[in-house]
Amino acid sequence: MKFPQYHKNLETLHMGTEKPRAYFIPYDDLQDALSGDRNSSYYLTNLCGEWNFKYFSSFEDLDESLYEESCDISALPKVNVPGMIQLYKVDEITDTPLYSNLKYPFSVDPPHAPEDNPCAFHIRDFEVSKEMLERDNIITFEGVSSCFYLFVNGVFAAYSQVSHNTSEVDITDLINDGENKLAVLVVKWCDGSYLEDQDMFRLSGIFREVYILERNEKHLKDIYIKTELSADLRTATVTSEITADCDVEFKLLSADGKVVLEGKGVEFTLENPALWSSECPNLYKLILICGDEIIPFNLGFKRLELRGNVAYLNNEPVKLFGINRH
């Protein structure tokens, strides 16, 4: 193989990926930020839709030339991303959905990934403008099972195995003005598959959305927002842990869009807040401004505690009804 087989290596979970962070989408316009539609963000380029596709029943049979920039992929079938490989209507696919509970769905030889290991290339072209090149470009995969190798314009960019979490890769130095090529090799099993064994259908693929986020040179990198409600429910306190290379300002908007508070940093106290519960899910909109980016968060205030064997939500005893829906 021309590139390391990280899915067989216990020492490697990720290669070339960004540090995990809180989820948020930056906007350049307040109304777009308030819309709740992340696809309205000027900084987001959605890569979902039709991708060219090539399936291999075994990783050992892989045709590596497919990720090369000069490879002609026009004759390959197309599939829709997000999607699951086993559900695509492509004649060459031999793998099928499998439900298993007690037994591993592959030969058990921990920590080695099975040799009978299907994989598939997902390949597409995308356009990059000169304006995009003025910012950092981070490609985001919100869910790939069980692992993937990413190639940009024929160059290996990253590897990640974290099926149900987000993987982000900075591709700024790998893209050019005009047409660019993405190739994502999805492998069904990796050494981490031993830890992802549950009673569920075994499916693989790019099963959540893919997009590029443009980030300005100075931006909010990460944030952890903490809320606390006083025992009498009359005072809410908000604090935060922020990683940013620019000053952060905030506006707190009520449900009807009125500015309740504003200031610098993200630390404040709110008197007599509207409380959140499942019956009355009151939410404030916290707007952060960092450089040219506007970042919205929904913020709810509630107090949940145990007193003896009784659970209280906002000082009201509650009983939980339901089942395990796994």
Side-chain angles (χ1 to χ4, degrees):
M1 305 295 292
K2 295 180 182 178
F3 55 91
Q5 299 183 36
Y6 292 122
H7 67 285
K8 299 181 179 181
N9 185 347
L10 277 177
E11 303 300 318
T12 305
L13 293 177
H14 315 283
M15 183 64 64
T17 57
E18 296 291 285
K19 183 179 179 180
R21 64 168 178 87
Y23 168 80
F24 55 81
I25 299 294
Y27 296 79
D28 74 324
D29 179 83
L30 178 58
Q31 292 307 311
D32 288 339
L34 293 173
S35 71
D37 178 12
R38 67 185 187 182
N39 286 308
S40 68
S41 169
Y42 175 80
Y43 298 125
L44 187 147
T45 300
N46 197 318
L47 296 178
C48 297
E50 285 192 340
W51 292 53
N52 290 96
F53 178 85
K54 178 62 177 177
Y55 173 83
F56 299 92
S57 59
S58 171
F59 184 87
E60 311 306 321
D61 298 333
L62 183 65
D63 178 1
E64 295 183 35
S65 68
L66 289 173
Y67 70 77
E68 295 175 357
E69 190 173 10
S70 59
C71 183
D72 182 8
I73 61 170
S74 59
L76 295 180
K78 292 182 180 292
V79 298
N80 281 314
V81 170
M84 308 304 290
I85 293 172
Q86 292 76 16
L87 301 180
Y88 287 138
K89 298 185 182 301
V90 177
D91 291 340
E92 63 193 35
I93 295 176
T94 57
D95 199 14
T96 57
L98 170 67
Y99 176 86
S100 63
N101 183 4
L102 298 178
K103 295 182 179 180
Y104 280 105
F106 49 78
S107 56
V108 178
D109 183 21
H112 305 293
E115 292 299 319
D116 182 15
N117 199 357
C119 62
F121 263 115
H122 301 66
I123 308 168
R124 65 160 292 162
D125 294 328
F126 67 103
E127 290 289 327
V128 171
S129 66
K130 290 181 180 180
E131 289 76 15
M132 289 179 67
L133 295 176
E134 294 173 357
R135 291 179 282 271
D136 292 338
N137 288 263
I138 313 298
I139 188 169
T140 301
F141 294 85
E142 293 196 329
V144 183
S145 181
S146 70
C147 64
F148 70 95
Y149 296 83
L150 171 66
F151 303 87
V152 181
N153 292 327
V155 178
F156 172 68
Y159 168 81
S160 186
Q161 59 179 68
V162 53
S163 292
H164 291 80
N165 282 342
T166 296
S167 300
E168 293 188 306
V169 182
D170 188 339
I171 60 173
T172 307
D173 295 335
L174 299 177
I175 57 177
N176 311 296
D177 181 20
E179 190 172 276
N180 292 259
K181 179 180 179 180
L182 282 178
V184 182
L185 175 64
V186 178
V187 185
K188 185 174 184 180
W189 308 118
C190 64
D191 50 41
S193 297
Y194 286 99
L195 302 178
E196 295 184 337
D197 186 66
Q198 303 177 56
D199 51 330
M200 60 184 183
F201 275 99
R202 312 309 164 120
L203 299 163
S204 57
I206 306 174
F207 65 92
R208 289 180 180 154
E209 293 195 2
V210 185
Y211 51 86
I212 292 174
L213 279 182
E214 300 170 44
R215 303 303 307 275
N216 292 311
E217 180 180 357
K218 294 183 177 181
H219 63 263
L220 177 71
K221 299 181 184 297
D222 198 5
I223 187 168
Y224 178 24
I225 301 171
K226 307 173 187 178
T227 63
E228 185 175 349
L229 191 60
S230 63
D232 62 7
L233 310 182
R234 294 181 179 179
T235 304
T237 302
V238 174
T239 58
S240 65
E241 297 175 11
I242 297 176
T243 304
D245 43 25
C246 58
D247 293 332
V248 177
E249 300 178 358
F250 80 89
K251 293 180 184 292
L252 183 69
L253 277 61
S254 60
D256 58 4
K258 294 181 180 179
V259 176
V260 178
L261 290 172
E262 56 185 320
K264 296 183 180 296
V266 188
E267 293 194 9
F268 56 86
T269 299
L270 179 65
E271 300 296 335
N272 299 314
L275 303 184
W276 183 98
S277 68
S278 57
E279 293 82 9
C280 299
N282 296 307
L283 289 176
Y284 292 81
K285 187 72 74 171
L286 179 65
I287 302 294
L288 304 187
I289 303 164
C290 185
D292 294 329
E293 296 183 349
I294 301 170
I295 301 171
F297 291 93
N298 289 323
L299 205 59
F301 297 106
K302 65 182 184 300
R303 183 179 180 88
L304 182 63
E305 57 187 327
L306 291 176
R307 303 176 191 170
N309 294 324
V310 180
Y312 285 80
L313 176 65
N314 298 337
N315 290 342
E316 295 291 335
V318 295
K319 294 183 179 180
L320 305 181
F321 295 92
I323 58 173
N324 182 342
R325 297 189 299 146
H326 176 78

Short mmCIF file of all heavy atoms in Angstrom, two decimals, residues 127-149:
data_model
loop_
_atom_site.label_atom_id
_atom_site.label_comp_id
_atom_site.label_asym_id
_atom_site.label_seq_id
_atom_site.Cartn_x
_atom_site.Cartn_y
_atom_site.Cartn_z
N GLU A 127 -15.84 23.14 -6.13
CA GLU A 127 -15.26 24.41 -6.56
C GLU A 127 -14.79 25.22 -5.36
O GLU A 127 -15.44 25.27 -4.31
CB GLU A 127 -16.30 25.22 -7.34
CG GLU A 127 -16.62 24.64 -8.71
CD GLU A 127 -15.49 24.80 -9.70
OE1 GLU A 127 -14.76 25.81 -9.60
OE2 GLU A 127 -15.34 23.91 -10.56
N VAL A 128 -13.65 25.85 -5.54
CA VAL A 128 -13.10 26.75 -4.53
C VAL A 128 -12.91 28.12 -5.17
O VAL A 128 -12.32 28.23 -6.26
CB VAL A 128 -11.75 26.23 -3.98
CG1 VAL A 128 -11.09 27.28 -3.10
CG2 VAL A 128 -11.96 24.94 -3.21
N SER A 129 -13.40 29.16 -4.52
CA SER A 129 -13.27 30.52 -5.03
C SER A 129 -12.04 31.20 -4.42
O SER A 129 -11.50 30.74 -3.40
CB SER A 129 -14.52 31.34 -4.70
OG SER A 129 -14.63 31.50 -3.29
N LYS A 130 -11.63 32.29 -5.03
CA LYS A 130 -10.50 33.05 -4.49
C LYS A 130 -10.84 33.59 -3.11
O LYS A 130 -9.97 33.69 -2.24
CB LYS A 130 -10.15 34.19 -5.44
CG LYS A 130 -9.54 33.74 -6.76
CD LYS A 130 -9.20 34.93 -7.65
CE LYS A 130 -8.58 34.46 -8.97
NZ LYS A 130 -8.25 35.61 -9.86
N GLU A 131 -12.11 33.92 -2.88
CA GLU A 131 -12.53 34.42 -1.58
C GLU A 131 -12.37 33.35 -0.50
O GLU A 131 -11.97 33.66 0.63
CB GLU A 131 -13.99 34.88 -1.63
CG GLU A 131 -14.23 36.15 -2.42
CD GLU A 131 -14.18 35.93 -3.94
OE1 GLU A 131 -14.24 34.75 -4.37
OE2 GLU A 131 -14.09 36.93 -4.67
N MET A 132 -12.64 32.08 -0.84
CA MET A 132 -12.46 31.00 0.12
C MET A 132 -11.00 30.86 0.52
O MET A 132 -10.68 30.57 1.67
CB MET A 132 -12.98 29.67 -0.45
CG MET A 132 -14.48 29.58 -0.56
SD MET A 132 -15.04 28.00 -1.28
CE MET A 132 -14.56 26.84 0.01
N LEU A 133 -10.11 31.07 -0.43
CA LEU A 133 -8.67 30.90 -0.17
C LEU A 133 -8.12 31.99 0.75
O LEU A 133 -7.00 31.87 1.25
CB LEU A 133 -7.89 30.89 -1.49
CG LEU A 133 -8.18 29.71 -2.41
CD1 LEU A 133 -7.44 29.87 -3.73
CD2 LEU A 133 -7.80 28.39 -1.75
N GLU A 134 -8.90 33.04 0.97
CA GLU A 134 -8.47 34.09 1.89
C GLU A 134 -8.69 33.69 3.35
O GLU A 134 -8.25 34.40 4.25
CB GLU A 134 -9.23 35.39 1.58
CG GLU A 134 -8.90 35.97 0.21
CD GLU A 134 -9.78 37.15 -0.14
OE1 GLU A 134 -10.68 37.48 0.67
OE2 GLU A 134 -9.57 37.75 -1.21
N ARG A 135 -9.37 32.57 3.58
CA ARG A 135 -9.65 32.09 4.93
C ARG A 135 -9.15 30.65 5.08
O ARG A 135 -8.80 30.00 4.11
CB ARG A 135 -11.15 32.16 5.22
CG ARG A 135 -11.69 33.58 5.35
CD ARG A 135 -13.18 33.60 5.61
NE ARG A 135 -13.94 33.36 4.38
CZ ARG A 135 -14.33 34.32 3.55
NH1 ARG A 135 -14.02 35.58 3.80
NH2 ARG A 135 -15.02 34.04 2.47
N ASP A 136 -9.14 30.17 6.31
CA ASP A 136 -8.85 28.76 6.56
C ASP A 136 -10.06 27.94 6.14
O ASP A 136 -11.21 28.35 6.36
CB ASP A 136 -8.54 28.52 8.04
CG ASP A 136 -7.24 29.18 8.47
OD1 ASP A 136 -6.39 29.44 7.60
OD2 ASP A 136 -7.09 29.45 9.68
N ASN A 137 -9.82 26.76 5.57
CA ASN A 137 -10.90 25.89 5.12
C ASN A 137 -10.82 24.56 5.87
O ASN A 137 -9.84 23.82 5.74
CB ASN A 137 -10.80 25.65 3.61
CG ASN A 137 -11.19 26.89 2.82
OD1 ASN A 137 -12.32 27.02 2.36
ND2 ASN A 137 -10.24 27.81 2.63
N ILE A 138 -11.87 24.29 6.63
CA ILE A 138 -11.93 23.09 7.46
C ILE A 138 -13.05 22.19 6.95
O ILE A 138 -14.22 22.58 6.95
CB ILE A 138 -12.21 23.44 8.94
CG1 ILE A 138 -11.30 24.58 9.41
CG2 ILE A 138 -12.06 22.20 9.80
CD1 ILE A 138 -9.83 24.27 9.38
N ILE A 139 -12.69 20.99 6.48
CA ILE A 139 -13.72 20.05 6.04
C ILE A 139 -14.18 19.25 7.25
O ILE A 139 -13.38 18.82 8.09
CB ILE A 139 -13.22 19.12 4.92
CG1 ILE A 139 -14.38 18.30 4.36
CG2 ILE A 139 -12.08 18.23 5.37
CD1 ILE A 139 -14.04 17.55 3.08
N THR A 140 -15.51 19.11 7.36
CA THR A 140 -16.12 18.49 8.53
C THR A 140 -16.91 17.26 8.11
O THR A 140 -17.77 17.33 7.24
CB THR A 140 -17.06 19.48 9.24
OG1 THR A 140 -16.32 20.63 9.63
CG2 THR A 140 -17.70 18.84 10.46
N PHE A 141 -16.59 16.12 8.74
CA PHE A 141 -17.35 14.88 8.58
C PHE A 141 -18.07 14.63 9.91
O PHE A 141 -17.43 14.41 10.93
CB PHE A 141 -16.42 13.70 8.27
CG PHE A 141 -15.73 13.79 6.94
CD1 PHE A 141 -14.54 14.51 6.82
CD2 PHE A 141 -16.25 13.17 5.81
CE1 PHE A 141 -13.89 14.60 5.59
CE2 PHE A 141 -15.62 13.26 4.59
CZ PHE A 141 -14.43 13.98 4.48
N GLU A 142 -19.39 14.63 9.88
CA GLU A 142 -20.14 14.50 11.13
C GLU A 142 -20.35 13.05 11.54
O GLU A 142 -20.76 12.79 12.67
CB GLU A 142 -21.48 15.23 11.02
CG GLU A 142 -21.30 16.74 10.89
CD GLU A 142 -22.57 17.52 11.16
OE1 GLU A 142 -23.66 17.00 10.87
OE2 GLU A 142 -22.47 18.65 11.65
N GLY A 143 -20.07 12.11 10.65
CA GLY A 143 -20.18 10.71 11.02
C GLY A 143 -19.78 9.80 9.88
O GLY A 143 -20.38 9.84 8.81
N VAL A 144 -18.73 8.98 10.10
CA VAL A 144 -18.27 8.00 9.12
C VAL A 144 -17.99 6.70 9.85
O VAL A 144 -17.26 6.69 10.84
CB VAL A 144 -17.00 8.46 8.37
CG1 VAL A 144 -16.61 7.43 7.31
CG2 VAL A 144 -17.20 9.84 7.74
N SER A 145 -18.56 5.60 9.37
CA SER A 145 -18.38 4.31 10.03
C SER A 145 -17.66 3.33 9.09
O SER A 145 -18.03 3.20 7.93
CB SER A 145 -19.75 3.73 10.41
OG SER A 145 -19.62 2.49 11.07
N SER A 146 -16.63 2.59 9.61
CA SER A 146 -16.07 2.79 10.94
C SER A 146 -14.88 3.74 10.95
O SER A 146 -14.52 4.30 11.98
CB SER A 146 -15.60 1.43 11.49
OG SER A 146 -14.45 0.96 10.79
N CYS A 147 -14.26 3.95 9.79
CA CYS A 147 -13.11 4.83 9.70
C CYS A 147 -12.94 5.29 8.26
O CYS A 147 -13.57 4.74 7.35
CB CYS A 147 -11.85 4.13 10.20
SG CYS A 147 -11.35 2.70 9.19
N PHE A 148 -12.10 6.31 8.05
CA PHE A 148 -11.91 6.80 6.68
C PHE A 148 -10.53 7.40 6.50
O PHE A 148 -9.91 7.89 7.45
CB PHE A 148 -13.00 7.81 6.30
CG PHE A 148 -12.89 9.14 7.01
CD1 PHE A 148 -12.23 10.21 6.41
CD2 PHE A 148 -13.49 9.34 8.25
CE1 PHE A 148 -12.14 11.44 7.05
CE2 PHE A 148 -13.42 10.56 8.89
CZ PHE A 148 -12.74 11.62 8.29
N TYR A 149 -10.08 7.33 5.24
CA TYR A 149 -8.88 8.02 4.78
C TYR A 149 -9.33 9.14 3.84
O TYR A 149 -10.15 8.90 2.95
CB TYR A 149 -7.96 7.07 4.02
CG TYR A 149 -7.40 5.93 4.86
CD1 TYR A 149 -8.13 4.76 5.08
CD2 TYR A 149 -6.12 6.01 5.39
CE1 TYR A 149 -7.61 3.71 5.82
CE2 TYR A 149 -5.58 4.96 6.14
CZ TYR A 149 -6.33 3.82 6.36
OH TYR A 149 -5.81 2.78 7.09
#
